[in-house]
Each structure stands twice: as structure tokens, then as C-alpha cells.
Amino acid sequence: MQQTIGDAAGEIWKYLKKNGATSSSKLAKECGLDNKSLQRAIGWLSREDNLSLTQKGRSEIIDLKER
């Protein structure tokens, strides 16, 4: 399972690096992830302090932290 979560986290990271901030729903669709996989991968990347999460209305906006 950790490999699957790590793979999903990698897909999210690559997408955000290329396309910038996006909503969680668009991110799931563009990366081809179901909701559980998306949330687990976001948790992985957040734990590594790689994501910036903000609320914009009803949408959660996800972006990579600038380093």
C-alpha cells in the first residue's frame, strides 16, 4: 500500500510542479486518482511539508510550497 500512496504522491507533485495550484477535485481528475488515494497522497506530501493548502470558498486549493 505504501508504494501505491507514494506513486500517487509523485503524480500529484509532478502535476503541481507543471501546472501550479489547483483544486483537490481537479487534481484527482487530472491525476486519475480516487478520493481515498488522493487524500492519502496529500497526507504523505503534507507530512513531508511539501504542500500549501488553502480554502477558497468551498474548494480546497493545493499547491507546492516554495523552497
Side-chain angles (χ1 to χ4, degrees):
M1 172 144 335
Q2 284 185 335
Q3 181 66 40
T4 303
I5 297 168
D7 291 345
E11 288 299 313
I12 290 171
W13 190 89
K14 286 183 231 174
Y15 181 86
L16 293 173
K17 184 75 171 169
K18 181 179 179 184
N19 300 290
T22 191
S23 68
S24 57
S25 58
K26 183 174 181 181
L27 189 59
K29 181 180 177 183
E30 294 295 322
C31 292
L33 299 171
D34 62 59
N35 193 47
K36 278 187 179 182
S37 296
L38 176 76
Q39 295 303 323
R40 287 173 177 154
I42 288 172
W44 178 304
L45 291 166
S46 294
R47 177 73 171 112
E48 292 181 346
D49 199 30
N50 288 317
L51 295 182
S52 170
L53 305 169
T54 56
Q55 194 72 31
K56 187 174 184 180
R58 295 186 322 170
S59 296
E60 180 179 61
I61 305 299
I62 302 165
D63 200 3
L64 293 175
K65 282 191 174 179
E66 293 186 28
R67 303 214 177 223

